[in-house]
Amino acid sequence: MVPRAADDTVGLVGLLAQRGDYLESIADGVTEKRALVDAHDASRSTVDRAVRQLADAGLVDRTHGEVALTTTGRLALDAYTTFRNRVTGIDDANDVLDGVDDADDLDVRLFENATVVEAAHTPQKPMDEVADVIRTATEVRVLAPLVLPSHVEIYRDRVNENALAADVVVTQAVLDELVTNHQDTIETFVGSDDAALSFTNDDLPYGLVLASLDDRDVVLVVCGTGPVAGVLRNDTPDAVAWAADRFASARETATRLG
């Protein structure tokens, strides 16, 4: 098979954007042209044109009035759906990402099927989202570039109750504030077999909470190291894998207290 030229590939992406809904219908089992007419509330001529375009691009086969995805069509639809979901997630997160500087390691996987909790109209809502997760988690791995006193108290109390295993990495500035204002929390972490508190000299451009709940793992990215602009929440396996790698990288070079 001759590879597509660059212009042809651009054309294929455009076709997927224009006719991707037809591919989705066919993938879902709507394979007769008459059924496609009904499913898309379109004229027969419009459906014929769409199917012809998809067939010419090698995305579908036509046989006796029915249409089926080719292997190329299935793979192209999967790739386009992933691309569309990620771009949609990035666009939805645009305002909260304004609170993140120099975060070159943020991964596109984080944005696919993510939930965005903005602080613009309800400043406390993102922090409540994080607090609710901390209260219900059995284990957390955390990167903390700022001190949120209400969250510090939740960590301290749940570790004291032996209800939470916590591995927390903070910046030097956060550690200094904990020493000044939250010495009891430091003592709790240092004295617990199920908790660890470490500090790093590296900058943390965003906060990260990777939490294990009863039925799943969830990732929270806190955008903003001053005023919090919002929180991204995602529990997809790809997002969890990224968060685990990101935490492990920071933890490896951090210094543990105690």
Side-chain angles (χ1 to χ4, degrees):
M1 177 180 288
V2 179
R4 295 179 188 269
D7 288 347
D8 291 339
T9 300
V10 171
L12 176 61
V13 173
L15 179 61
L16 288 167
Q18 181 184 15
R19 302 300 191 190
D21 54 343
Y22 283 89
L23 290 178
E24 290 171 349
S25 294
I26 296 166
D28 289 338
V30 182
T31 59
E32 294 185 354
K33 286 188 178 181
R34 287 176 298 179
L36 288 169
V37 168
D38 294 336
H40 294 271
D41 192 23
S43 67
R44 179 59 184 257
S45 62
T46 297
V47 170
D48 284 341
R49 182 166 57 253
V51 170
R52 183 172 62 253
Q53 290 172 324
L54 295 171
D56 289 345
L59 303 181
V60 300
D61 284 330
R62 295 173 288 183
T63 307
H64 305 302
E66 292 196 353
V67 187
L69 293 184
T70 62
T71 299
T72 298
R74 177 180 59 79
L75 293 172
L77 176 60
D78 287 347
Y80 177 70
T81 300
T82 298
F83 165 78
R84 183 182 61 195
N85 288 341
R86 289 177 175 178
V87 171
T88 298
I90 292 169
D91 186 46
D92 289 344
N94 182 48
D95 288 341
V96 302
L97 289 174
D98 284 343
V100 180
D101 294 324
D102 300 324
D104 293 340
D105 58 351
L106 281 180
D107 193 285
V108 293
R109 292 174 291 174
L110 175 65
F111 299 92
E112 185 175 359
N113 299 318
T115 299
V116 181
V117 183
E118 295 188 39
H121 303 297
T122 51
Q124 187 58 31
K125 191 173 182 179
M127 295 301 90
D128 290 343
E129 180 80 14
V130 178
D132 288 344
V133 168
I134 301 170
R135 289 191 186 99
T136 56
T138 56
E139 179 182 356
V140 293
R141 284 166 279 177
V142 180
L143 302 180
L146 73 166
V147 174
L148 299 168
S150 61
H151 291 180
V152 172
E153 293 171 4
I154 298 171
Y155 285 125
R156 179 200 63 205
D157 292 346
R158 298 209 70 224
V159 170
N160 266 329
E161 295 164 0
N162 296 317
L164 178 68
D167 196 349
V168 179
V169 176
V170 303
T171 61
Q172 181 65 60
V174 169
L175 178 61
D176 292 343
E177 186 170 347
L178 292 175
V179 169
T180 301
N181 298 315
H182 301 279
Q183 185 65 40
D184 55 342
T185 298
I186 294 178
E187 293 171 357
T188 294
F189 270 72
V190 171
S192 172
D193 293 333
D194 294 323
L197 180 62
S198 307
F199 70 92
T200 178
N201 292 318
D202 295 332
D203 291 332
L204 297 176
Y206 50 83
L208 175 68
V209 178
L210 175 54
S212 296
L213 308 180
D214 287 339
D215 57 345
R216 67 191 185 283
D217 291 340
V218 62
V219 178
L220 301 175
V221 173
V222 181
C223 300
T225 56
V228 172
V231 168
L232 305 179
R233 176 175 178 146
N234 201 326
D235 59 6
T236 62
D238 280 347
V240 169
W242 167 80
D245 288 344
R246 177 66 185 92
F247 176 82
S249 177
R251 181 69 166 80
E252 184 178 11
T253 58
T255 301
R256 181 172 177 174
L257 299 182

